[in-house]
């Protein structure tokens, strides 16, 4: 699947490692929440493939919602500006929430979203991310459940895109 512009891809995390890690994350989440449903809130669009696998690795009731966030001015280095583009239409009051991300980079998106969700009075909010790129962090935010820490390289696949392509790659690759 070459394009865009014949980019070269190097596999960083193969699919069997991803699947094994997501299974572990699901089991950990199941252990950490003794009873009741968990609301898994996926951030569009990048989280959808990870979310689909993660919920199937959690052997209990989960409910799935999606929220849309748009970033402006987030060049390679700027902190950007974030706004809500699609809200969820259920009450989260008293609920346990896990926000599901494909990657935490600067932390700007999650910081904004957690602040927003806290105003809806959930019982708890945690974050599950497939990838973490801590070297780029601009906000002091940490995911409770993290699949893999990645270096400061441009990664695609498993939901992550390059100009909207490569989201369907079954492994995490670096664009070289
Ligand atoms: C990506 C990713 C996270 C966010 C992380 O989304 O899915 O939501 O950036 O970056 P941050 O920690 O620097 O805020 P993107 O804006 O690329 O949209 P997408 O999910 O639709 O690809």
């Amino acid at each position: 699947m070459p394009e865009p512009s014949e980019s070269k891809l190097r596999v960083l995390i193969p699919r069997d490692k991803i699947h094994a890690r997501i299974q572990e994350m699901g089991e950990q989440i199941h252990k950490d929440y003794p009873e009741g449903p968990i609301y898994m809130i996926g951030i569009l669009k990048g989280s959808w493939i990870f979310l689909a696998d993660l919920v199937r690795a959690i052997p209990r009731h989960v409910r799935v919602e999606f929220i849309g966030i748009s970033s402006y001015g987030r060049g390679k280095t700027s902190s950007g500006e974030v706004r809500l583009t699609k809200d969820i239409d259920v009450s989260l009051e008293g609920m346990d929430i896990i926000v599901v991300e494909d990657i935490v980079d600067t932390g700007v998106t999650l910081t904004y979203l957690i602040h927003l969700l806290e105003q809806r009075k959930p019982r708890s909010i945690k974050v599950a991310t497939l990838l973490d790129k801590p070297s780029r962090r601009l906000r002091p935010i940490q995911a409770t459940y993290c699949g893999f820490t990645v270096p400061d390289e441009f990664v695609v696949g498993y939901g992550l895109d390059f100009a909207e392509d490569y989201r369907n790659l079954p492994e995490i690759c670096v664009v070289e």
Side-chain angles (χ1 to χ4, degrees), residues 64-84:
V64 176
E65 298 288 336
F66 288 96
I67 201 160
I69 303 283
S70 197
S71 310
Y72 292 97
R74 185 171 54 208
K76 287 209 160 110
T77 54
S78 102
S79 64
E81 201 180 295
V82 188
R83 102 185 145 86
L84 192 66

Side-chain angles (χ1 to χ4, degrees), residues 123-171:
R123 181 160 70 174
S124 68
I125 305 182
K126 290 183 183 175
V127 174
T129 187
L130 178 62
L131 305 178
D132 188 13
K133 206 187 263 187
S135 57
R136 296 245 312 153
R137 203 72 97 246
L138 296 173
R139 301 282 186 277
I141 193 152
Q142 185 96 29
T144 305
Y145 307 103
C146 172
F148 302 92
T149 298
V150 293
D152 188 8
E153 294 186 281
F154 197 99
V155 287
V156 295
Y158 226 85
L160 289 99
D161 72 309
F162 174 23
E164 294 301 326
D165 284 324
Y166 298 136
R167 291 194 197 273
N168 61 323
L169 287 175
E171 55 274 299

Side-chain angles (χ1 to χ4, degrees), residues 44-46 74 101-109 161 167:
L44 295 170
K45 301 179 215 166
R74 185 171 54 208
E101 262 289 28
D102 53 341
I103 187 165
V104 184
D105 189 0
T106 63
V108 169
T109 303
D161 72 309
R167 291 194 197 273

Side-chain angles (χ1 to χ4, degrees), residues 63-119:
R63 296 176 184 172
V64 176
E65 298 288 336
F66 288 96
I67 201 160
I69 303 283
S70 197
S71 310
Y72 292 97
R74 185 171 54 208
K76 287 209 160 110
T77 54
S78 102
S79 64
E81 201 180 295
V82 188
R83 102 185 145 86
L84 192 66
T85 57
K86 182 204 171 297
D87 205 347
I88 46 182
D89 51 11
V90 293
S91 170
L92 298 173
E93 195 167 340
M95 299 296 173
D96 290 312
I97 293 175
I98 299 180
V99 176
V100 181
E101 262 289 28
D102 53 341
I103 187 165
V104 184
D105 189 0
T106 63
V108 169
T109 303
L110 267 181
T111 301
Y112 169 86
L113 185 59
I114 287 173
H115 179 68
L116 187 94
L117 293 174
E118 274 170 351
Q119 294 165 26

